[in-house]
Amino acid sequence: MSTDTIVFLITMGFTLIIHGGLTYLVVKKQDYSLISGFYNRPEEEQQRLIENGYPQAIGRLLLYTFIILFISVILALFQIPYGFEIGMLLFLIVLLGGSIYVQKYELKHKRKKYYWITGIIAAIVITFVIVLGYLGLEEHDVIINDRQFKVTGLYGVEWPIDEIDRVKLLDELPDVVAKSNGFAAFNRLKGSFRLKEPYGGGGKLFVYKGRAPYVYIEKDDDYIILNQKDGSETQKLYDQLLEKISE
């Protein structure tokens, strides 16, 4: 089992335990004090919200999102293509849409206010996800000339040609230990990642997973690994870069 799979299992396992535990306490034990803001309301408001079905609706939302999250993790473990990513998109849609929907059970004089608050939050989150997804999935351009090596786009880098120490072609992508600051979805890795030894440390990846080969570029203690959708284009990049640093 690869290191990144182990990290994924630990992270998502912990997430499922927390989410599942909260769902159980709210749905089965009816511990509504765990619902954000509910415990701080006057007892009269709490009782009216229970009569309206507000905490019960929150419980159903927790249950639905837990089921989606659980299925998404299973799909990831069985390596169903894009199963986890699609599952997480569905999770986000249900969570945000459900958060708006449950406001129908809110107290009448507060309902409009909370519709606006949850609606604005949902719009901000959706906009952020769309922008991040666009930038993350956007193809990276590689520019090589006599003076510099440059990768454009999100998390782009620019290195002087004469500072590059080594270039080699990899048949396989090293195991990813952790993501430091980057984008990882739909078989795209872009940004800063820690890799398994002997690479270790931290470097930048601009990679289409499963599309060998990969070009490894090293400068001092830093490195970049990249490729293109077409393996022949990756080979051309390698040949071009090797020629420049050999001059």
Side-chain angles (χ1 to χ4, degrees):
M1 186 178 293
S2 64
T3 305
D4 55 332
T5 301
I6 294 173
V7 172
F8 174 82
L9 283 174
I10 293 173
T11 303
M12 296 310 300
F14 181 75
T15 302
L16 285 170
I17 290 171
I18 296 299
H19 195 149
L22 179 61
T23 301
Y24 174 79
L25 291 172
V26 172
V27 175
K28 292 296 184 181
K29 296 298 184 180
Q30 297 183 351
D31 187 355
Y32 299 144
S33 65
L34 295 172
I35 297 174
S36 178
F38 189 86
Y39 185 75
N40 296 326
R41 295 200 181 192
E43 289 187 14
E44 181 184 350
E45 281 195 14
Q46 291 182 20
Q47 188 57 42
R48 288 173 61 191
L49 286 169
I50 292 172
E51 292 171 358
N52 285 355
Y54 177 81
Q56 296 92 324
I58 293 290
R60 291 193 296 273
L61 178 59
L62 286 170
L63 179 60
Y64 298 153
T65 51
F66 174 78
I67 291 171
I68 294 171
L69 187 62
F70 180 78
I71 293 174
S72 300
V73 173
I74 296 300
L75 292 175
L77 291 179
F78 281 95
Q79 298 183 348
I80 305 299
Y82 307 135
F84 182 73
E85 290 87 346
I86 293 172
M88 292 309 297
L89 285 175
L90 182 59
F91 172 87
L92 185 62
I93 291 169
V94 172
L95 178 62
L96 294 176
S99 298
I100 296 172
Y101 176 79
V102 299
Q103 302 312 318
K104 67 178 289 186
Y105 301 102
E106 195 30 281
L107 300 180
K108 190 173 182 179
H109 66 283
K110 293 186 176 181
R111 198 171 297 162
K112 184 176 181 180
K113 171 186 174 182
Y114 285 111
Y115 268 132
W116 273 103
I117 291 174
T118 53
I120 290 171
I121 292 173
I124 292 172
V125 172
I126 290 172
T127 301
F128 174 78
V129 170
I130 291 173
V131 171
L132 181 62
Y134 172 78
L135 294 175
L137 294 173
E138 183 183 28
E139 293 188 15
H140 53 263
D141 291 324
V142 180
I143 299 171
I144 302 172
N145 56 42
D146 294 335
R147 295 181 294 104
Q148 68 174 2
F149 160 77
K150 181 178 180 180
V151 182
T152 65
L154 188 65
Y155 305 109
V157 293
E158 184 175 342
W159 285 358
I161 285 290
D162 57 7
E163 292 184 12
I164 294 176
D165 299 318
R166 183 163 61 132
V167 177
K168 65 178 180 178
L169 206 59
L170 306 178
D171 293 327
E172 295 183 357
L173 182 68
D175 286 341
V176 175
V177 175
K179 178 179 68 176
S180 304
N181 178 29
F183 176 90
F186 296 101
N187 287 337
R188 291 296 305 277
L189 299 177
K190 185 183 290 189
S192 299
F193 294 81
R194 284 201 307 116
L195 303 181
K196 190 175 181 180
E197 296 296 342
Y199 299 94
K204 284 198 173 181
L205 306 184
F206 301 90
V207 162
Y208 298 91
K209 291 179 68 177
R211 293 179 181 268
Y214 307 89
V215 181
Y216 173 84
I217 308 149
E218 185 179 289
K219 177 175 76 73
D220 299 326
D221 295 327
D222 203 359
Y223 61 85
I224 294 170
I225 298 177
L226 59 84
N227 69 342
Q228 302 286 48
K229 285 183 179 180
D230 188 335
S232 63
E233 292 299 319
T234 304
Q235 181 69 51
K236 288 179 184 178
L237 274 177
Y238 169 74
D239 293 338
Q240 185 181 0
L241 191 54
L242 193 62
E243 179 183 349
K244 289 297 181 183
I245 67 172
S246 301
E247 291 178 351

